[in-house]
Amino acid sequence: MDTQGVVLWGAAACALHEGGHYLAIRLLGGRVTGLRLTCVGAEMRLSASDPNGRAFRILTALAGPAANLAAAAAITRWGEGMGEERYLLIGLNLSLGLFNLLPIAGLDGGRILRTLLEGGAWKRSWGQGISLALALALGGAGIWLLLQRGNPTLLLTAGWLGILSLPEPERGGGRGRLRRKPLQSPKKCDILPKSE
């Protein structure tokens, strides 16, 4: 099925990407306490005592794509004896690095955008709007790719990123259940009789 080794080399590019994040976290004084693999990458859980400033979050988010772009540059420069695999590795690393820089929720670029726009509610709305608009644009490209080539990958990815771009419901109460907003207590009204 996979005669070119795309899956193996793709997994290596993903491992390099996550290794870039891990290295940046460690170099900046952080500590990873857990790792969870998802369908769009990996999520690292950090120690509660880790640095959590804006610079830390931006630099650690940039480190994954930077690792892929550096690998693509190194293979371009020094990988002449690799044959056809050279172009596959360059393409995989470029694609992974650049795709993750898109400012869409769930991607490194989305984390950077969220960090840059943290503050007021209007900034969150703008970030979600940008993220959703780009996910929709990817969905349009995915439909075109599906119709032209019969490949649903980009359309499925865009759908997943679109879901991640939607506003998050309030969570709480454990076990991931949605928390209902408390009802406002009724205000006293002038027409109610006064109790004696």
Side-chain angles (χ1 to χ4, degrees), residues 97-194:
L98 294 175
F99 186 78
N100 266 281
L101 287 174
L102 290 174
I104 299 176
L107 299 178
D108 297 322
R111 289 182 182 92
I112 294 166
L113 179 65
R114 187 176 63 226
T115 300
L116 292 173
L117 294 179
E118 64 189 17
W122 71 271
K123 291 182 177 180
R124 254 190 326 277
S125 299
W126 270 96
Q128 288 171 343
I130 291 168
S131 183
L132 190 56
L134 287 171
L136 290 172
L138 281 176
I143 290 170
W144 179 84
L145 188 61
L146 179 64
L147 295 174
Q148 295 296 314
R149 304 281 183 193
N151 186 338
T153 307
L154 185 58
L155 182 59
L156 293 172
T157 303
W160 178 254
L161 292 172
I163 290 169
L164 291 177
S165 298
L166 295 174
E168 292 183 24
E170 281 191 53
R171 296 218 178 262
R175 297 192 173 238
R177 291 189 204 155
L178 293 179
R179 179 180 41 176
R180 295 180 187 205
K181 291 184 179 179
L183 294 174
Q184 302 255 339
S185 59
K187 294 181 179 176
K188 290 188 177 180
C189 194
D190 290 337
I191 58 171
L192 292 176
K194 292 183 182 180

Side-chain angles (χ1 to χ4, degrees), residues 75-98:
I75 295 166
T76 300
R77 176 80 169 105
W78 295 293
E80 291 180 19
M82 296 178 72
E84 293 296 316
E85 285 181 338
R86 175 184 186 201
Y87 300 107
L88 175 64
L89 289 171
I90 292 168
L92 284 170
N93 279 288
L94 277 177
S95 299
L96 186 60
L98 294 175

